[in-house]
Amino acid sequence: MVRKGPCGQTGTVSQGENQWVLHVDLDQFIAAVEVLRRPELAGKPVIVGGRGDPTERAVVSTASYEARAFGVGSGMPLRVAARKVPDAVILPVDSEAYLAASDAVMATLRAQPGATVQVLGWDEAFMGVSTADPETYARGLHDAVLESTSLHCSVGIGDTLVRAKIATGFAKPAGVFRLTVENWLAVMGDRPTIDLWGVGSKVSGRLAKLDITTVAQLAACDPADLVPEFGPKMGPWYAQLGRGDGERTVDDTPWVARGHSRETTYQQDLTEPVQVDEAVRELVARVLEDVIAEGRPVIGLTLKVRYAPFFTKTYARRIAETFDREDVLAQALNLVGKIEPERPIRLLGFRAEMSMPEEARKGHTPTRSGW
DNA sequence: TCTGGGGTCCTAGGACCC
DNA sequence: TCTGGGGTCCTAGGACCC
């Protein structure tokens, strides 16, 4: 499915001063962590999702290779997955275990000499390294992670963050792949735009309406031509993405959250105002726990409501900086007044936006740092 | 088959001010 | 009495990522 091995590039190193971006991604991270602590699961179809109960409203977080062979993938309703793989082992999500494993992996990456580490999520990170031989460095990285955590990872090598990130897809499983300006079009040119990091089904569809279906076509287009469809920022940005260009520097500035949110899908739709009131109080309390732990004032609130079956509305409000529990709760309950009565509610979410320290505003974000 | 939970950023349109 | 144009703030919604 994905190409493996060396990319066959020839000639000189393209990077000045041997600076490289590596993207490290753990293989089957969640399933691998579960198998580590229950070795008897090795080789079996393992599905992790929700509370591990396939009769509940929940989706698959990760499926092992054995389960994927049956057509199970992330995001699929747990109920459907269970039907596809009748003898699957279905496990509840155990975030704390994954976080602990993640911390061990990241500590190993940071311990590499001369490395700058930018964490992207539980199971992946960018690394900035200086070396004349990035492939050897990458294999050493795989071995170091395996030795310290018993987990396998794949490593993408690139001259930009975007190329390194996409390269990892060709490195899996447990391999190394290099993607630079020199082989970008040869490797990616004929592929559909949706293969790009940051292009999903909607954007690839809108690009197709402009007769842009491949990465090569996107790379060749005039950025200005995309502005009418995508706006002044996103238009040129998609064109740049098509070329694989973008940020080249790995930034290890600590990440500062813009806000915190909690949301819950109810196993039975809420129909009574009393239930809604109670549910919002509970969400607000959970969000405030996180906010108070950070010690930063709240400046905005958003209430998200999914009316059954699948119609979502958000109600937002900017507020005067406050740190007061009762104040936030009162204003949240005020937003509840906007909810349409008489409609069953399947999901409620609550988000608090926090004030940002001026110097942290530039701090990178976990998922869009390379943009 | 019936769709989680935690994030980020962008855009459009209305309100308001000068 | 009716109206331009620019700027900023706010709300709602959309798209994407892990």
Side-chain angles (χ1 to χ4, degrees):
Chain A
M1 188 170 64
V2 289
R3 288 205 260 170
K4 283 184 60 182
C7 58
Q9 85 170 10
T10 58
T12 56
V13 174
S14 63
Q15 289 276 286
E17 297 163 26
N18 293 333
Q19 283 300 126
W20 294 97
V21 179
L22 305 189
H23 177 255
V24 183
D25 196 321
L26 279 294
D27 297 338
Q28 303 286 302
F29 178 64
I30 290 175
V33 171
E34 294 292 353
V35 170
L36 269 188
R37 58 178 177 181
R38 302 179 214 204
E40 71 275 13
L41 295 183
K44 293 188 181 168
V46 176
I47 297 171
V48 182
R51 291 187 284 192
D53 179 350
T55 67
E56 289 191 349
R57 284 176 181 165
V59 296
V60 174
S61 290
T62 301
S64 68
Y65 287 125
E66 292 78 7
R68 287 182 191 200
F70 289 86
V72 174
S74 332
M76 177 179 288
L78 211 49
R79 212 171 288 185
V80 178
R83 203 170 305 142
K84 280 179 180 282
V85 196
D87 48 0
V89 179
I90 302 179
L91 301 174
V93 174
D94 180 358
S95 338
E96 285 181 22
Y98 314 142
L99 193 57
S102 175
D103 286 346
V105 170
M106 298 307 166
T108 302
L109 300 190
R110 291 197 182 93
Q112 303 302 304
T116 303
V117 177
Q118 178 175 338
V119 177
L120 282 191
W122 274 348
D123 64 341
E124 60 178 300
F126 284 117
M127 287 176 75
V129 303
S130 180
T131 173
D133 184 357
E135 274 79 9
T136 298
Y137 191 105
R139 289 194 191 94
L141 210 51
H142 167 273
D143 295 348
V145 170
L146 181 62
E147 165 146 52
S148 65
T149 66
S150 301
L151 295 167
H152 287 277
C153 65
S154 301
V155 183
I157 300 167
D159 50 356
T160 64
L161 301 200
V162 163
R163 292 198 185 106
K165 165 78 181 175
I166 293 177
T168 309
F170 298 97
K172 282 185 174 292
V176 174
F177 193 86
R178 188 199 289 209
L179 194 50
T180 66
V181 64
E182 290 163 43
N183 64 342
W184 172 256
L185 279 182
V187 174
M188 292 297 295
D190 292 338
R191 293 181 167 263
T193 56
I194 199 168
D195 285 4
L196 294 167
W197 183 38
V199 175
S201 61
K202 302 291 182 184
V203 170
S204 65
R206 286 162 73 188
L207 285 168
K209 282 195 296 185
L210 302 175
D211 282 327
I212 297 169
T213 58
T214 68
V215 172
Q217 288 168 338
L218 186 57
C221 81
D222 182 345
D225 291 346
L226 300 180
V227 172
E229 175 65 25
F230 297 104
K233 269 212 152 85
M234 298 309 283
W237 184 75
Y238 289 128
Q240 186 185 52
L241 198 57
R243 301 191 305 269
D245 280 343
E247 186 61 55
R248 292 168 185 272
T249 310
V250 176
D251 176 4
D252 61 358
T253 308
W255 170 63
V256 179
R258 271 67 175 161
H260 290 299
S261 68
R262 293 295 174 128
E263 62 181 60
T264 304
T265 298
Y266 300 98
Q267 293 300 324
Q268 268 89 41
D269 296 346
L270 308 183
T271 51
E272 303 301 322
V274 184
Q275 292 178 305
V276 176
D277 200 80
E278 192 46 47
V280 170
R281 285 173 192 275
E282 201 245 325
L283 285 172
V284 171
R286 288 166 63 197
V287 169
L288 280 180
E289 253 179 61
D290 290 352
V291 170
I292 286 167
E294 298 230 8
R296 290 154 55 203
V298 177
I299 57 172
L301 308 176
T302 305
L303 183 66
K304 177 164 138 185
V305 184
R306 178 122 79 222
Y307 298 102
F310 216 67
F311 172 63
T312 303
K313 282 189 81 68
T314 58
Y315 309 105
R317 131 172 328 170
R318 200 139 289 279
I319 65 174
E321 280 203 11
T322 180
F323 200 66
D324 185 84
R325 260 198 146 88
E326 292 308 311
D327 196 12
V328 172
L329 180 59
Q331 306 211 54
L333 291 174
N334 216 307
L335 285 172
V336 172
K338 296 194 178 184
I339 290 179
E340 300 175 31
E342 314 288 325
R343 301 187 66 165
I345 290 171
R346 180 149 306 176
L347 171 150
L348 284 174
F350 181 71
R351 173 181 162 85
E353 189 187 333
M354 298 176 293
S355 69
M356 290 293 288
E358 202 56 46
E359 67 279 7
R361 238 165 263 261
K362 283 186 179 167
H364 75 259
T365 62
T367 58
R368 299 176 78 99
S369 51
W371 305 21

